[in-house]
Amino acid sequence: MTQRYRGIVEFFNNGWGFINSQNKDIERVFVFWTDIKMEGFKSLQPNQTVEFSIKRNEKGLQATNVTLIERNIVKHHTEDKFAWCKEGERLEEAFVKNIVPKINRKLKIHPDKKNDPTTIDLYNIETKQKADLKTQNTPFFTSSRYGYDPKYTVTFNRKDYERYKKLYPEVIIYWYVNWQQLIWKTIKVTPLEGVWEIPFSIMARYIENNKVPLHTYLNRINDDINAKDSYLFDLRTFNRLM
């Protein structure tokens, strides 16, 4: 059986372009309109997710049997880690400036962030605790398959769990949720905006006692950059601050 990959369309114009597989073994591949298997469709748009097989020719690796994968509408493509990291920096600054004064927490951007953008996001100058910010603007619309209400479901990457467990076991996590999309296909949620707080140690206990489900992202199975799976949590089990 031919192996199938998923990736992001980087560029497509005049019948040809590139797909970023986000897989270290094949990386960037060519794509031509003759290999797009969508009836009556000969073009692709940047940031679309596609599934494809590959073949090798004189120009390198080429995508074949390319099909489009339907996705939610989001500001950045969900597999574009660089874009989300840059967006994260902007959101951290906005959170500290606009939200922190409303939640009675003495939080600031962690000073190490200036030299190391991968370090923990926040620091509580009153309690001396490290903290991290999670921002979610799109509901997990299909979380009902796990018995969760999409309105209150947030996702926590397994990579983050492993990293915190090793480096920041005492960290406090703050969740800022503001649903920007309220409908996907036939699934609807009502508006929700707020800030929730939970110690990582409590989340870890849920995970280690198998109290929360682990969802695998089909679009990231062959992805070597982004997190491939996430745990689902119900916001109503967290402490709401705003």
Side-chain angles (χ1 to χ4, degrees):
M1 183 176 179
T2 303
Q3 184 170 358
R4 300 284 284 171
Y5 296 88
R6 294 192 180 191
I8 305 167
V9 178
E10 283 188 355
F11 165 84
F12 195 87
N13 192 28
N14 294 326
W16 71 279
F18 297 105
I19 297 171
N20 183 347
S21 72
Q22 310 235 75
N23 180 284
K24 64 184 179 182
D25 294 325
I26 61 175
E27 297 181 344
R28 202 184 201 202
V29 296
F30 289 94
V31 60
F32 298 94
W33 72 262
T34 51
D35 286 306
I36 300 172
K37 303 304 178 184
M38 293 174 279
E39 189 173 347
F41 194 80
K42 296 182 179 180
S43 184
L44 295 171
Q45 300 297 322
N47 281 336
Q48 286 179 325
T49 297
V50 291
E51 186 174 80
F52 58 95
S53 303
I54 58 172
K55 67 179 180 181
R56 185 178 294 277
N57 59 26
E58 66 278 3
K59 293 184 177 181
L61 294 178
Q62 179 182 333
T64 65
N65 297 315
V66 180
T67 57
L68 187 65
I69 304 298
E70 186 176 1
R71 306 302 307 279
N72 288 341
I73 300 170
V74 292
K75 184 172 182 180
H76 301 298
H77 191 288
T78 51
E79 274 68 68
D80 189 349
K81 184 174 181 178
F82 177 77
W84 282 115
C85 286
K86 297 303 291 182
E87 178 76 0
E89 292 175 10
R90 185 187 69 79
L91 292 172
E92 290 155 15
E93 293 172 359
F95 180 79
V96 168
K97 179 181 179 181
N98 302 319
I99 304 297
V100 167
K102 301 176 183 179
I103 62 173
N104 194 32
R105 295 292 186 273
K106 303 296 184 181
L107 297 168
K108 69 173 185 176
I109 302 292
H110 197 289
D112 291 348
K113 202 82 173 168
K114 184 180 294 186
N115 299 317
D116 181 5
T118 66
T119 197
I120 208 79
D121 294 336
L122 305 171
Y123 180 73
N124 189 315
I125 60 177
E126 188 173 62
T127 65
K128 312 302 182 187
Q129 286 180 297
K130 293 177 180 176
D132 214 11
L133 174 66
K134 300 296 181 186
T135 301
Q136 193 165 328
N137 293 320
T138 305
F140 194 114
F141 284 101
T142 58
S143 62
S144 58
R145 77 179 78 164
Y146 296 102
Y148 278 60
D149 184 338
K151 178 176 179 177
Y152 296 104
T153 302
V154 290
T155 57
F156 183 64
N157 291 340
R158 182 164 66 170
K159 274 188 174 182
D160 281 344
Y161 160 73
E162 294 168 350
R163 178 169 172 262
Y164 293 162
K165 186 76 175 176
K166 181 179 179 180
L167 301 176
Y168 309 112
E170 303 303 321
V171 71
I172 305 296
I173 303 178
Y174 292 89
W175 296 81
Y176 174 64
V177 169
N178 183 10
W179 299 145
Q180 301 294 310
Q181 183 181 346
L182 300 178
I183 183 169
W184 182 72
K185 293 188 176 180
T186 61
I187 304 171
K188 298 179 182 180
V189 300
T190 54
L192 179 67
E193 181 178 10
V195 177
W196 288 258
E197 173 189 68
I198 186 170
F200 167 70
S201 59
I202 293 178
M203 298 182 72
R205 197 179 311 142
Y206 276 105
I207 292 168
E208 290 156 11
N209 290 329
N210 297 314
K211 299 295 185 182
V212 291
L214 179 65
H215 171 76
T216 299
Y217 298 105
L218 294 178
N219 294 321
R220 304 180 187 179
I221 289 175
N222 297 301
D223 189 329
D224 297 316
I225 298 174
N226 299 285
K228 296 182 180 181
D229 39 27
S230 289
Y231 297 100
L232 305 189
F233 282 85
D234 188 324
L235 280 172
R236 292 169 294 187
T237 65
F238 298 179
N239 177 33
R240 186 166 189 173
L241 303 177
M242 186 186 88

